[in-house]
Amino acid sequence: MGEQKSAADARASQGFATRAIHAGYEPDPTTGAVNVPIYASSTFAQDGVGGLRGGFEYARTGNPTRQALEANAASIEVGTYGRAFASGMAATDAMLRAALRPGDHLVIPDDAYGGTFRLIDKVFTQWGIEYTPAPVTDVDAIRAAVRENTKLIWLETPTNPLLNVGDIAAVAEVAKGAGARLVVDNTFASPYLQRPLTLGADVVLHSSTKYLGGHSDVVGGLLVTDDEELDAAIAFLQNGSGGVPGPFDAYLTMRGIKTLGVRMDRHCDNAEAVVDMLSGRREIASVLYPGLADHPGHEVAARQMSRFGGMLSVRMAGGREAARQLCSRTEIFTLAESLGGIESLIEHPGAMTHASTAGSMLEVPDDLVRLSVGIEDTSDVLADLEQALDGIR
């Protein structure tokens, strides 16, 4: 562990873009290939029984391309151990199973991602896991939700889709005092804008499908931690359950990470321009974006994020029907689930990504529209939204 930690410390001294491009792989000593090869092999030859070359035996257990991605992810989150999964939900499932046992309790956001809520509410409760929703914006409410059997506090910040902001350092102190672990879903911010491990989190989770992959062409998930014992438990489940990415998926994700910094700068630029434009429109009741000075989480976001991201939501003055009209009228903004790709996306969370929360205390407003602002020309992005809003009856 000492050698790995020293390597992580050395990487942390380099700039983000340098680590994103170089961490996890050195040019191949035989061919000089500067990009990690796609090791499309399901099994690996052994030098005698148990004589593994580089530690590889079977691709579910380990693959050189995946290993490079895992080291890269650990580096950009300034962590020690990274584990890659076939999807963000596979990573979520592994994290919950590694940390919880029947009879345990966890605290979740009261506006958690719909898939996370569905997994906990519909699956883990069948196995004796209890949960309590609490607002991520209220540290006292999170503290009050903790019980004697609480083993995990799950934090999204900013949250999906309401863009609420949680104070990672403050919640980390709550978790520490309760003898629980803090997991931060960092998907919306990305490690370019926010690094939860440096603020006291125990684990960082990503749907790498989103900003890390960045091109809407690969599905994946990542967990990063400094906890050697917890990493061992996660690695056991990764291998035992087999929810791993293939080598091509790992390659695509790693390729995406190389340009994360420059992409996020453009996502943020465009999102800020969209927020400015939407804030003055009569069709918009409110804009939800941490970069706004009057956003309730602005001060915390400014403290723990370098910028405010490419995600925003709006509540429509015309209610549900106006929300659906906006989603149907855009041309550059594609009506689709997911987020974080180079292209702009728009969706109605109540009927799409968060439909599983309907009828629960996590149900999202039906006048809500979520925007994932891409990296197209700013003028075209703005013009598309303006024409869509102009046509709402």
Side-chain angles (χ1 to χ4, degrees):
M1 177 181 177
E3 292 180 1
Q4 286 180 295
K5 188 62 178 176
S6 296
D9 291 340
R11 288 192 297 270
S13 67
Q14 296 178 329
F16 181 90
T18 302
R19 287 179 284 124
I21 292 168
H22 294 286
Y25 176 73
E26 296 290 338
D28 183 271
T30 301
T31 65
V34 298
N35 279 313
V36 62
I38 302 169
Y39 287 91
S41 183
S42 62
T43 192
F44 300 86
Q46 299 187 22
D47 297 323
V49 177
L52 307 184
R53 301 182 191 179
F56 299 104
E57 54 184 316
Y58 185 62
R60 170 170 46 79
T61 307
N63 173 280
T65 313
R66 188 176 93 217
Q67 184 181 74
L69 168 62
E70 291 172 335
N72 183 274
S75 176
I76 60 174
E77 279 290 4
V78 197
T80 307
Y81 308 100
R83 299 291 169 182
F85 293 85
S87 68
M89 290 311 303
T92 299
D93 180 67
M95 182 63 241
L96 292 168
R97 287 187 291 133
L100 299 172
R101 297 293 178 268
D104 287 345
H105 171 263
L106 75 154
V107 179
I108 66 170
D110 66 357
D111 61 338
Y113 166 57
T116 304
F117 171 73
R118 181 178 59 231
L119 179 65
I120 293 169
D121 183 65
K122 305 300 183 187
V123 178
F124 276 83
T125 56
Q126 296 183 53
W127 300 100
I129 302 299
E130 302 173 324
Y131 72 92
T132 301
V136 300
T137 57
D138 190 337
V139 177
D140 289 334
I142 294 172
R143 184 180 291 107
V146 171
R147 305 176 184 173
E148 289 186 1
N149 59 335
T150 300
K151 296 296 188 292
L152 207 63
I153 297 177
W154 196 278
L155 191 66
E156 292 178 23
T157 182
T159 61
N160 179 8
L162 296 177
L163 281 298
N164 286 316
V165 175
D167 188 327
I168 296 172
V171 177
E173 287 300 313
V174 173
K176 183 178 179 181
R181 289 187 171 106
L182 173 61
V183 178
V184 176
D185 184 335
N186 201 28
T187 299
F188 262 34
S190 89
Y192 182 66
L193 303 180
Q194 177 174 269
R195 287 173 284 282
L197 293 180
T198 67
L199 298 169
D202 295 288
V203 187
V204 178
L205 177 140
H206 284 279
S207 172
S208 55
T209 311
K210 312 305 194 294
Y211 284 112
L212 298 186
H215 294 76
S216 301
D217 57 6
V218 62
V219 174
L222 289 162
L223 292 171
V224 178
T225 184
D226 285 326
D227 186 325
E228 184 177 19
E229 181 180 354
L230 180 59
D231 174 69
I234 293 169
F236 178 84
L237 290 167
Q238 182 192 47
N239 179 47
S241 296
V244 297
F248 187 59
D249 290 346
Y251 166 81
L252 285 176
T253 304
M254 197 166 176
R255 184 181 69 167
I257 289 173
K258 291 176 186 294
T259 60
L260 178 61
V262 291
R263 286 188 289 107
M264 289 307 299
D265 281 336
R266 183 57 176 260
H267 283 297
C268 292
D269 289 345
N270 278 357
E272 290 166 6
V274 167
V275 167
D276 286 345
M277 184 272 287
L278 293 177
S279 296
R281 296 286 308 208
R282 61 172 177 78
E283 300 88 352
I284 305 297
S286 61
V287 179
L288 311 181
Y289 186 67
L292 288 169
D294 61 354
H295 186 282
H298 176 72
E299 183 180 342
V300 174
R303 186 167 66 244
Q304 66 189 20
M305 300 175 69
S306 58
R307 292 186 73 179
F308 302 103
M311 298 298 303
L312 63 113
S313 292
V314 295
R315 299 191 67 172
M316 302 298 294
R320 175 177 177 272
E321 182 57 31
R324 291 190 171 229
Q325 284 188 47
L326 177 59
C327 289
S328 68
R329 287 188 51 80
T330 56
E331 297 171 359
I332 289 176
F333 278 83
T334 300
L335 178 61
E337 297 188 358
S338 198
L339 59 100
I342 54 175
E343 64 287 304
S344 293
L345 302 178
I346 190 169
E347 67 129 358
H348 185 264
M352 297 171 69
T353 53
H354 290 68
S356 62
T357 67
S360 76
M361 65 180 68
L362 278 74
E363 183 172 3
V364 298
D366 63 4
D367 61 359
L368 189 76
V369 175
R370 190 188 74 183
L371 303 171
S372 174
V373 184
I375 63 172
E376 300 95 342
D377 286 307
T378 309
S379 59
D380 293 328
V381 170
L382 296 176
D384 186 38
L385 289 172
E386 288 172 339
Q387 67 80 25
L389 289 167
D390 287 342
I392 291 178
R393 296 183 298 277

